Amino acid sequence: MLRHAKAAQIAGLLDRERPLTDRGERDAKRAGDEIRAAGFAPEMVLCSPALRTRRTAELAFPEAEVSYERDIYEAYPDELLELVRRSDPELGTVVLCGHNPGVHELALGLAGGDYVFRPGAFAAIRVESPWSELGQGEGRLITRWDPKEG
């Protein structure tokens, strides 16, 4: 689970069109570096179509296949879980790049924990069940990263 990096607040700009700030650009690259350093190589990135999530995914995972899913934008955790369940069963590592509160609540629902999920943060969660059978509480938090802590 990856929350988009820090986005600009620009008066009059549609929420979906908010770009990353300079810090957001740096944090998105760092998140990708941290994910690779932890030994993860995303095979698929499920990404919100909002500009800030698209740019986060581009910077964090320049080599990965990205699927832009409109249903991620403003989704509830159960909707995000359903999207992940539809992942190709052959994929071993899938990243969901989206927005709070949904991404954070899904991460907590899958693996528990007590942590904040600031812009640019991620949680790596290991699951044993096939994507199609994934349910709440079935994951184990492997690692997490927060740009303000790391």
Side-chain angles (χ1 to χ4, degrees), residues 4 13-18 47-53 68-76 79-80 83 96-100 102-103:
H4 66 78
L13 190 64
L14 292 175
D15 183 66
R16 289 179 186 246
E17 297 304 318
R18 291 174 46 213
C47 185
S48 164
L51 178 60
R52 60 192 179 274
T53 48
Y68 298 102
E69 304 286 341
R70 64 179 159 77
D71 293 341
I72 295 173
Y73 187 78
E74 296 184 337
Y76 291 99
E79 295 167 319
L80 295 173
L83 185 73
L96 176 65
C97 182
H99 311 268
N100 268 6
V103 171

Side-chain angles (χ1 to χ4, degrees), residues 43-58:
E43 296 169 71
M44 172 62 72
V45 178
L46 304 174
C47 185
S48 164
L51 178 60
R52 60 192 179 274
T53 48
R54 291 191 330 251
R55 185 66 177 147
T56 297
E58 289 170 4

Side-chain angles (χ1 to χ4, degrees), residues 24-43:
E25 296 258 336
R26 287 189 306 272
D27 289 349
K29 289 178 192 171
R30 287 177 55 213
D33 292 343
E34 292 291 330
I35 288 169
R36 284 184 290 283
F40 298 104
E43 296 169 71

